[in-house]
Amino acid sequence: MHVQEWLEAVPAVSIYLLVGVVIGLESLGIPLPGEIILVSSALLASQHGDIDPVVLGACATAGAIIGDSIGYAIGRRGGRPLLAWLGGRFPKHFGAPQIALAERSFEKWGMWAVFFGRFVALLRIFAGPLAGVLRMPYWKFLIANVLGGIVWAGGTTAVIYSVGVVAEAWLKRFSWLGLVAAVLIGVISMLVLKNRAKKAAEQADSPVPDAVPAAD
């Protein structure tokens, strides 16, 4: 069954709960399609008056912030053995290349990696646990976590809902395009981030040439 069709079959309260729980678990570190669920729910809210977009955005934001906070606590307590365990359970998401990429992002951007990680599927899963493992000061993490959660979850809900209201008839017929666009944006963002991290790593690993002695 299509995600949109499935969401239409459940009551509004269940959708609020579903969005909050799925996004919370994804932010905690469990690979789940939080962005797809959020986009689908926001589109559904634009087409059905039973779903309040403000409540939907609030639930998504709360799930993102709480999930990331729990992930931070687990990462801080579990340390690197936790990453090794996750790598064994979810090798496609927590394998050595993915962890190395996330670590380089954190080393370069610090708390901004938590904020902007909300908008990249790979970092959205890593942000909380990895911030805890790397012992990021909690106050820095909390600021980036709250701001990132509000901008990403609330902003996504507002934008998708507004587009759905303006183009309701079009989206009813081609609503799957919105999901495809969301997935493509996430994939492209992840590929760009990987490419930049790879170039940064190559530059960091390249030997620095010796200084040329000055001529007498």
Side-chain angles (χ1 to χ4, degrees):
M1 180 182 291
H2 194 284
V3 175
Q4 191 87 355
E5 295 175 350
W6 184 81
L7 288 174
E8 290 178 353
V10 298
V13 175
S14 298
I15 292 177
Y16 300 146
L17 182 62
L18 174 69
V19 168
V21 170
V22 171
I23 291 178
L25 291 176
E26 182 189 37
S27 301
L28 189 153
I30 299 176
L32 290 175
E35 190 168 47
I36 293 178
I37 293 295
L38 179 58
V39 170
S40 297
S41 300
L43 284 174
L44 186 62
S46 70
Q47 301 166 19
H48 298 275
D50 295 338
I51 303 174
D52 189 333
V54 176
V55 176
L56 180 66
C59 291
T61 301
I65 295 172
I66 294 172
D68 242 14
S69 298
I70 296 175
Y72 175 90
I74 293 175
R76 192 174 181 88
R77 185 176 182 85
R80 291 193 174 275
L82 173 65
L83 296 180
W85 180 82
L86 289 172
R89 296 296 298 272
F90 306 104
K92 292 184 178 180
H93 297 87
F94 289 90
Q98 289 81 3
I99 292 177
L101 169 65
E103 286 184 336
R104 288 194 295 270
S105 300
F106 269 75
E107 290 172 0
K108 183 176 182 179
W109 300 107
M111 63 185 294
W112 289 109
V114 177
F115 178 85
F116 289 112
R118 284 287 179 195
F119 302 89
V120 182
L122 179 64
L123 288 182
R124 188 160 56 247
I125 299 172
F126 276 110
L130 191 57
V133 171
L134 297 179
R135 302 283 176 172
M136 175 181 290
Y138 183 70
W139 69 268
K140 289 186 177 182
F141 170 80
L142 183 61
I143 292 174
N145 179 28
V146 171
L147 293 178
I150 292 173
V151 174
W152 174 73
T156 299
T157 302
V159 170
I160 298 301
Y161 177 81
S162 299
V163 171
V165 170
V166 172
E168 180 177 359
W170 187 87
L171 287 173
K172 278 184 177 180
R173 186 176 181 184
F174 302 104
S175 60
W176 58 273
L177 288 178
L179 297 179
V180 172
V183 172
L184 288 177
I185 291 173
V187 171
I188 292 173
S189 300
M190 184 174 64
L191 291 176
V192 170
L193 185 65
K194 282 185 176 182
N195 185 53
R196 290 183 178 178
K198 183 179 179 181
K199 289 182 179 179
E202 291 175 351
Q203 292 176 358
D205 293 338
S206 60
V208 178
D210 296 333
V212 178
D216 293 334

